[in-house]
PDB file of all heavy atoms in Angstrom:
ATOM      1  N   ILE A 140      -1.591  10.199 -21.532  1.00 82.00           N
ATOM      2  CA  ILE A 140      -0.673  11.286 -21.900  1.00 82.00           C
ATOM      3  C   ILE A 140       0.751  10.784 -21.982  1.00 82.00           C
ATOM      4  O   ILE A 140       1.472  11.099 -22.992  1.00 82.00           O
ATOM      5  CB  ILE A 140      -0.732  12.420 -20.827  1.00 82.00           C
ATOM      6  CG1 ILE A 140      -2.133  13.046 -20.882  1.00 82.00           C
ATOM      7  CG2 ILE A 140       0.360  13.486 -21.207  1.00 82.00           C
ATOM      8  CD1 ILE A 140      -2.350  14.099 -19.765  1.00 82.00           C
ATOM      9  N   TYR A 141       1.194  10.038 -20.978  1.00 79.00           N
ATOM     10  CA  TYR A 141       2.614   9.546 -20.938  1.00 79.00           C
ATOM     11  C   TYR A 141       2.892   8.126 -21.405  1.00 79.00           C
ATOM     12  O   TYR A 141       4.040   7.737 -21.505  1.00 79.00           O
ATOM     13  CB  TYR A 141       3.070   9.725 -19.519  1.00 79.00           C
ATOM     14  CG  TYR A 141       3.195  11.119 -18.993  1.00 79.00           C
ATOM     15  CD1 TYR A 141       2.126  11.658 -18.198  1.00 79.00           C
ATOM     16  CD2 TYR A 141       4.211  11.976 -19.353  1.00 79.00           C
ATOM     17  CE1 TYR A 141       2.168  12.998 -17.807  1.00 79.00           C
ATOM     18  CE2 TYR A 141       4.214  13.288 -18.930  1.00 79.00           C
ATOM     19  CZ  TYR A 141       3.242  13.766 -18.151  1.00 79.00           C
ATOM     20  OH  TYR A 141       3.273  15.136 -17.760  1.00 79.00           O
ATOM     21  N   GLY A 142       1.840   7.410 -21.771  1.00 74.00           N
ATOM     22  CA  GLY A 142       2.044   6.057 -22.225  1.00 74.00           C
ATOM     23  C   GLY A 142       2.075   5.048 -21.163  1.00 74.00           C
ATOM     24  O   GLY A 142       2.111   5.377 -19.963  1.00 74.00           O
ATOM     25  N   GLU A 143       2.167   3.788 -21.525  1.00 74.00           N
ATOM     26  CA  GLU A 143       2.090   2.702 -20.596  1.00 74.00           C
ATOM     27  C   GLU A 143       3.475   2.568 -19.763  1.00 74.00           C
ATOM     28  O   GLU A 143       4.396   3.097 -20.201  1.00 74.00           O
ATOM     29  CB  GLU A 143       1.892   1.313 -21.224  1.00 74.00           C
ATOM     30  CG  GLU A 143       3.006   0.928 -22.139  1.00 74.00           C
ATOM     31  CD  GLU A 143       2.794  -0.444 -22.839  1.00 74.00           C
ATOM     32  OE1 GLU A 143       1.583  -0.926 -22.740  1.00 74.00           O
ATOM     33  OE2 GLU A 143       3.661  -0.927 -23.512  1.00 74.00           O
ATOM     34  N   GLY A 144       3.375   1.983 -18.643  1.00 80.00           N
ATOM     35  CA  GLY A 144       4.543   1.868 -17.749  1.00 80.00           C
ATOM     36  C   GLY A 144       4.036   1.898 -16.274  1.00 80.00           C
ATOM     37  O   GLY A 144       2.759   2.174 -16.056  1.00 80.00           O
ATOM     38  N   LEU A 145       4.873   1.824 -15.341  1.00 85.00           N
ATOM     39  CA  LEU A 145       4.499   1.701 -13.954  1.00 85.00           C
ATOM     40  C   LEU A 145       4.473   3.002 -13.290  1.00 85.00           C
ATOM     41  O   LEU A 145       3.696   3.259 -12.375  1.00 85.00           O
ATOM     42  CB  LEU A 145       5.454   0.796 -13.195  1.00 85.00           C
ATOM     43  CG  LEU A 145       4.995   0.337 -11.769  1.00 85.00           C
ATOM     44  CD1 LEU A 145       3.690  -0.332 -11.780  1.00 85.00           C
ATOM     45  CD2 LEU A 145       6.142  -0.487 -11.169  1.00 85.00           C
ATOM     46  N   LEU A 146       5.343   3.978 -13.767  1.00 87.00           N
ATOM     47  CA  LEU A 146       5.513   5.236 -13.072  1.00 87.00           C
ATOM     48  C   LEU A 146       4.237   6.094 -13.153  1.00 87.00           C
ATOM     49  O   LEU A 146       3.849   6.652 -12.097  1.00 87.00           O
ATOM     50  CB  LEU A 146       6.668   6.069 -13.763  1.00 87.00           C
ATOM     51  CG  LEU A 146       6.968   7.410 -13.078  1.00 87.00           C
ATOM     52  CD1 LEU A 146       7.304   7.213 -11.640  1.00 87.00           C
ATOM     53  CD2 LEU A 146       8.070   8.103 -13.808  1.00 87.00           C
ATOM     54  N   ALA A 147       3.637   6.246 -14.299  1.00 87.00           N
ATOM     55  CA  ALA A 147       2.418   7.052 -14.414  1.00 87.00           C
ATOM     56  C   ALA A 147       1.229   6.602 -13.502  1.00 87.00           C
ATOM     57  O   ALA A 147       0.715   7.507 -12.815  1.00 87.00           O
ATOM     58  CB  ALA A 147       1.998   7.141 -15.896  1.00 87.00           C
ATOM     59  N   PRO A 148       0.814   5.387 -13.456  1.00 89.00           N
ATOM     60  CA  PRO A 148      -0.241   5.003 -12.629  1.00 89.00           C
ATOM     61  C   PRO A 148       0.140   5.054 -11.118  1.00 89.00           C
ATOM     62  O   PRO A 148      -0.727   5.400 -10.304  1.00 89.00           O
ATOM     63  CB  PRO A 148      -0.545   3.560 -12.964  1.00 89.00           C
ATOM     64  CG  PRO A 148       0.660   3.074 -13.735  1.00 89.00           C
ATOM     65  CD  PRO A 148       1.212   4.299 -14.423  1.00 89.00           C
ATOM     66  N   VAL A 149       1.447   4.872 -10.776  1.00 91.00           N
ATOM     67  CA  VAL A 149       1.787   5.043  -9.385  1.00 91.00           C
ATOM     68  C   VAL A 149       1.717   6.454  -8.980  1.00 91.00           C
ATOM     69  O   VAL A 149       1.123   6.708  -7.809  1.00 91.00           O
ATOM     70  CB  VAL A 149       3.287   4.491  -9.199  1.00 91.00           C
ATOM     71  CG1 VAL A 149       3.931   4.970  -7.898  1.00 91.00           C
ATOM     72  CG2 VAL A 149       3.364   3.063  -9.290  1.00 91.00           C
ATOM     73  N   ILE A 150       2.112   7.389  -9.788  1.00 90.00           N
ATOM     74  CA  ILE A 150       1.993   8.787  -9.391  1.00 90.00           C
ATOM     75  C   ILE A 150       0.511   9.165  -9.213  1.00 90.00           C
ATOM     76  O   ILE A 150       0.125   9.845  -8.342  1.00 90.00           O
ATOM     77  CB  ILE A 150       2.713   9.712 -10.486  1.00 90.00           C
ATOM     78  CG1 ILE A 150       4.246   9.422 -10.407  1.00 90.00           C
ATOM     79  CG2 ILE A 150       2.416  11.195 -10.185  1.00 90.00           C
ATOM     80  CD1 ILE A 150       4.965  10.246 -11.430  1.00 90.00           C
ATOM     81  N   ALA A 151      -0.325   8.740 -10.241  1.00 88.00           N
ATOM     82  CA  ALA A 151      -1.686   9.134 -10.220  1.00 88.00           C
ATOM     83  C   ALA A 151      -2.365   8.539  -8.976  1.00 88.00           C
ATOM     84  O   ALA A 151      -3.140   9.271  -8.232  1.00 88.00           O
ATOM     85  CB  ALA A 151      -2.389   8.554 -11.471  1.00 88.00           C
ATOM     86  N   LEU A 152      -2.116   7.277  -8.586  1.00 91.00           N
ATOM     87  CA  LEU A 152      -2.840   6.630  -7.523  1.00 91.00           C
ATOM     88  C   LEU A 152      -2.233   7.227  -6.112  1.00 91.00           C
ATOM     89  O   LEU A 152      -3.003   7.368  -5.186  1.00 91.00           O
ATOM     90  CB  LEU A 152      -2.660   5.189  -7.539  1.00 91.00           C
ATOM     91  CG  LEU A 152      -3.447   4.466  -8.624  1.00 91.00           C
ATOM     92  CD1 LEU A 152      -3.166   2.917  -8.622  1.00 91.00           C
ATOM     93  CD2 LEU A 152      -4.934   4.685  -8.486  1.00 91.00           C
ATOM     94  N   ALA A 153      -0.979   7.554  -6.145  1.00 92.00           N
ATOM     95  CA  ALA A 153      -0.403   8.255  -4.954  1.00 92.00           C
ATOM     96  C   ALA A 153      -1.095   9.518  -4.635  1.00 92.00           C
ATOM     97  O   ALA A 153      -1.457   9.801  -3.551  1.00 92.00           O
ATOM     98  CB  ALA A 153       1.026   8.447  -5.108  1.00 92.00           C
ATOM     99  N   ILE A 154      -1.413  10.298  -5.723  1.00 90.00           N
ATOM    100  CA  ILE A 154      -2.134  11.610  -5.522  1.00 90.00           C
ATOM    101  C   ILE A 154      -3.546  11.330  -4.981  1.00 90.00           C
ATOM    102  O   ILE A 154      -4.120  11.964  -4.216  1.00 90.00           O
ATOM    103  CB  ILE A 154      -2.139  12.367  -6.822  1.00 90.00           C
ATOM    104  CG1 ILE A 154      -0.741  12.866  -7.190  1.00 90.00           C
ATOM    105  CG2 ILE A 154      -3.095  13.589  -6.683  1.00 90.00           C
ATOM    106  CD1 ILE A 154      -0.649  13.419  -8.560  1.00 90.00           C
ATOM    107  N   ALA A 155      -4.170  10.223  -5.637  1.00 89.00           N
ATOM    108  CA  ALA A 155      -5.555   9.869  -5.194  1.00 89.00           C
ATOM    109  C   ALA A 155      -5.604   9.415  -3.733  1.00 89.00           C
ATOM    110  O   ALA A 155      -6.638   9.659  -3.032  1.00 89.00           O
ATOM    111  CB  ALA A 155      -6.073   8.818  -6.115  1.00 89.00           C
ATOM    112  N   TYR A 156      -4.573   8.686  -3.161  1.00 91.00           N
ATOM    113  CA  TYR A 156      -4.607   8.116  -1.889  1.00 91.00           C
ATOM    114  C   TYR A 156      -4.117   9.170  -0.839  1.00 91.00           C
ATOM    115  O   TYR A 156      -4.290   9.011   0.380  1.00 91.00           O
ATOM    116  CB  TYR A 156      -3.697   6.905  -1.759  1.00 91.00           C
ATOM    117  CG  TYR A 156      -4.406   5.635  -2.312  1.00 91.00           C
ATOM    118  CD1 TYR A 156      -4.526   5.379  -3.701  1.00 91.00           C
ATOM    119  CD2 TYR A 156      -4.976   4.789  -1.430  1.00 91.00           C
ATOM    120  CE1 TYR A 156      -5.188   4.329  -4.079  1.00 91.00           C
ATOM    121  CE2 TYR A 156      -5.669   3.625  -1.823  1.00 91.00           C
ATOM    122  CZ  TYR A 156      -5.724   3.335  -3.196  1.00 91.00           C
ATOM    123  OH  TYR A 156      -6.372   2.242  -3.641  1.00 91.00           O
ATOM    124  N   LEU A 157      -3.390  10.211  -1.328  1.00 91.00           N
ATOM    125  CA  LEU A 157      -2.781  11.214  -0.331  1.00 91.00           C
ATOM    126  C   LEU A 157      -3.926  11.799   0.587  1.00 91.00           C
ATOM    127  O   LEU A 157      -3.588  11.943   1.764  1.00 91.00           O
ATOM    128  CB  LEU A 157      -2.110  12.311  -1.180  1.00 91.00           C
ATOM    129  CG  LEU A 157      -1.258  13.360  -0.525  1.00 91.00           C
ATOM    130  CD1 LEU A 157      -0.158  13.815  -1.390  1.00 91.00           C
ATOM    131  CD2 LEU A 157      -2.092  14.561  -0.071  1.00 91.00           C
ATOM    132  N   PRO A 158      -5.054  12.206   0.084  1.00 90.00           N
ATOM    133  CA  PRO A 158      -6.047  12.875   1.004  1.00 90.00           C
ATOM    134  C   PRO A 158      -6.387  11.985   2.198  1.00 90.00           C
ATOM    135  O   PRO A 158      -6.696  12.448   3.327  1.00 90.00           O
ATOM    136  CB  PRO A 158      -7.269  13.078   0.123  1.00 90.00           C
ATOM    137  CG  PRO A 158      -6.716  13.156  -1.258  1.00 90.00           C
ATOM    138  CD  PRO A 158      -5.600  12.237  -1.245  1.00 90.00           C
ATOM    139  N   TYR A 159      -6.416  10.631   2.007  1.00 90.00           N
ATOM    140  CA  TYR A 159      -6.850   9.731   3.134  1.00 90.00           C
ATOM    141  C   TYR A 159      -5.788   9.918   4.250  1.00 90.00           C
ATOM    142  O   TYR A 159      -6.169   9.926   5.455  1.00 90.00           O
ATOM    143  CB  TYR A 159      -6.813   8.231   2.626  1.00 90.00           C
ATOM    144  CG  TYR A 159      -7.924   8.033   1.630  1.00 90.00           C
ATOM    145  CD1 TYR A 159      -7.710   8.009   0.288  1.00 90.00           C
ATOM    146  CD2 TYR A 159      -9.256   7.709   2.096  1.00 90.00           C
ATOM    147  CE1 TYR A 159      -8.639   7.793  -0.650  1.00 90.00           C
ATOM    148  CE2 TYR A 159     -10.254   7.480   1.149  1.00 90.00           C
ATOM    149  CZ  TYR A 159      -9.971   7.468  -0.152  1.00 90.00           C
ATOM    150  OH  TYR A 159     -11.013   7.298  -1.141  1.00 90.00           O
ATOM    151  N   VAL A 160      -4.532   9.982   3.891  1.00 92.00           N
ATOM    152  CA  VAL A 160      -3.464  10.020   4.912  1.00 92.00           C
ATOM    153  C   VAL A 160      -3.451  11.450   5.516  1.00 92.00           C
ATOM    154  O   VAL A 160      -3.293  11.568   6.709  1.00 92.00           O
ATOM    155  CB  VAL A 160      -2.107   9.656   4.276  1.00 92.00           C
ATOM    156  CG1 VAL A 160      -0.975   9.811   5.413  1.00 92.00           C
ATOM    157  CG2 VAL A 160      -2.157   8.297   3.724  1.00 92.00           C
ATOM    158  N   SER A 161      -3.534  12.465   4.681  1.00 92.00           N
ATOM    159  CA  SER A 161      -3.420  13.900   5.200  1.00 92.00           C
ATOM    160  C   SER A 161      -4.587  14.162   6.075  1.00 92.00           C
ATOM    161  O   SER A 161      -4.394  14.844   7.155  1.00 92.00           O
ATOM    162  CB  SER A 161      -3.382  14.780   3.930  1.00 92.00           C
ATOM    163  OG  SER A 161      -4.609  14.814   3.293  1.00 92.00           O
ATOM    164  N   ARG A 162      -5.803  13.720   5.832  1.00 91.00           N
ATOM    165  CA  ARG A 162      -6.978  14.067   6.753  1.00 91.00           C
ATOM    166  C   ARG A 162      -6.835  13.305   7.991  1.00 91.00           C
ATOM    167  O   ARG A 162      -7.119  13.848   9.113  1.00 91.00           O
ATOM    168  CB  ARG A 162      -8.257  13.659   6.015  1.00 91.00           C
ATOM    169  CG  ARG A 162      -8.519  14.580   4.830  1.00 91.00           C
ATOM    170  CD  ARG A 162      -9.888  14.295   4.140  1.00 91.00           C
ATOM    171  NE  ARG A 162     -11.008  14.616   5.053  1.00 91.00           N
ATOM    172  CZ  ARG A 162     -12.323  14.466   4.627  1.00 91.00           C
ATOM    173  NH1 ARG A 162     -12.593  14.034   3.459  1.00 91.00           N
ATOM    174  NH2 ARG A 162     -13.200  14.794   5.501  1.00 91.00           N
ATOM    175  N   LEU A 163      -6.338  12.059   7.919  1.00 92.00           N
ATOM    176  CA  LEU A 163      -6.145  11.303   9.133  1.00 92.00           C
ATOM    177  C   LEU A 163      -5.080  11.897  10.008  1.00 92.00           C
ATOM    178  O   LEU A 163      -5.261  12.097  11.211  1.00 92.00           O
ATOM    179  CB  LEU A 163      -5.785   9.851   8.825  1.00 92.00           C
ATOM    180  CG  LEU A 163      -5.419   8.900  10.014  1.00 92.00           C
ATOM    181  CD1 LEU A 163      -6.619   8.773  10.947  1.00 92.00           C
ATOM    182  CD2 LEU A 163      -4.903   7.566   9.522  1.00 92.00           C
ATOM    183  N   THR A 164      -4.010  12.323   9.440  1.00 93.00           N
ATOM    184  CA  THR A 164      -2.890  13.014  10.056  1.00 93.00           C
ATOM    185  C   THR A 164      -3.338  14.319  10.742  1.00 93.00           C
ATOM    186  O   THR A 164      -2.973  14.566  11.922  1.00 93.00           O
ATOM    187  CB  THR A 164      -1.730  13.231   9.133  1.00 93.00           C
ATOM    188  OG1 THR A 164      -1.279  11.999   8.602  1.00 93.00           O
ATOM    189  CG2 THR A 164      -0.572  13.825   9.821  1.00 93.00           C
ATOM    190  N   ARG A 165      -4.093  15.023  10.071  1.00 92.00           N
ATOM    191  CA  ARG A 165      -4.542  16.293  10.496  1.00 92.00           C
ATOM    192  C   ARG A 165      -5.371  16.152  11.892  1.00 92.00           C
ATOM    193  O   ARG A 165      -5.146  16.877  12.838  1.00 92.00           O
ATOM    194  CB  ARG A 165      -5.398  17.061   9.502  1.00 92.00           C
ATOM    195  CG  ARG A 165      -5.981  18.378   9.944  1.00 92.00           C
ATOM    196  CD  ARG A 165      -6.790  18.989   8.834  1.00 92.00           C
ATOM    197  NE  ARG A 165      -7.444  20.219   9.335  1.00 92.00           N
ATOM    198  CZ  ARG A 165      -8.499  20.368   9.989  1.00 92.00           C
ATOM    199  NH1 ARG A 165      -9.226  19.273  10.364  1.00 92.00           N
ATOM    200  NH2 ARG A 165      -9.005  21.516  10.366  1.00 92.00           N
ATOM    201  N   SER A 166      -6.309  15.238  11.790  1.00 92.00           N
ATOM    202  CA  SER A 166      -7.168  14.968  13.007  1.00 92.00           C
ATOM    203  C   SER A 166      -6.318  14.443  14.149  1.00 92.00           C
ATOM    204  O   SER A 166      -6.549  14.897  15.268  1.00 92.00           O
ATOM    205  CB  SER A 166      -8.252  13.964  12.686  1.00 92.00           C
ATOM    206  OG  SER A 166      -7.704  12.655  12.294  1.00 92.00           O
ATOM    207  N   LEU A 167      -5.345  13.625  13.870  1.00 91.00           N
ATOM    208  CA  LEU A 167      -4.483  13.119  14.938  1.00 91.00           C
ATOM    209  C   LEU A 167      -3.612  14.146  15.537  1.00 91.00           C
ATOM    210  O   LEU A 167      -3.454  14.242  16.785  1.00 91.00           O
ATOM    211  CB  LEU A 167      -3.619  11.914  14.402  1.00 91.00           C
ATOM    212  CG  LEU A 167      -4.332  10.621  13.997  1.00 91.00           C
ATOM    213  CD1 LEU A 167      -3.373   9.702  13.319  1.00 91.00           C
ATOM    214  CD2 LEU A 167      -5.039   9.959  15.194  1.00 91.00           C
ATOM    215  N   VAL A 168      -3.043  15.029  14.711  1.00 92.00           N
ATOM    216  CA  VAL A 168      -2.209  16.127  15.204  1.00 92.00           C
ATOM    217  C   VAL A 168      -2.995  17.116  15.944  1.00 92.00           C
ATOM    218  O   VAL A 168      -2.611  17.596  17.013  1.00 92.00           O
ATOM    219  CB  VAL A 168      -1.420  16.793  14.081  1.00 92.00           C
ATOM    220  CG1 VAL A 168      -0.725  18.006  14.524  1.00 92.00           C
ATOM    221  CG2 VAL A 168      -0.487  15.791  13.335  1.00 92.00           C
ATOM    222  N   LEU A 169      -4.223  17.372  15.617  1.00 90.00           N
ATOM    223  CA  LEU A 169      -5.080  18.326  16.348  1.00 90.00           C
ATOM    224  C   LEU A 169      -5.321  17.778  17.757  1.00 90.00           C
ATOM    225  O   LEU A 169      -5.350  18.526  18.709  1.00 90.00           O
ATOM    226  CB  LEU A 169      -6.392  18.504  15.601  1.00 90.00           C
ATOM    227  CG  LEU A 169      -6.344  19.454  14.373  1.00 90.00           C
ATOM    228  CD1 LEU A 169      -7.696  19.460  13.657  1.00 90.00           C
ATOM    229  CD2 LEU A 169      -5.849  20.906  14.691  1.00 90.00           C
TER     230      LEU A 169
END
Side-chain angles (χ1 to χ4, degrees):
I140 297 174
Y141 294 100
E143 65 180 8
L145 191 60
L146 183 60
V149 165
I150 293 175
L152 290 178
I154 295 173
Y156 280 80
L157 188 152
Y159 295 95
V160 181
S161 64
R162 292 182 68 175
L163 175 63
T164 301
R165 178 182 177 275
S166 64
L167 293 172
V168 173
L169 286 175

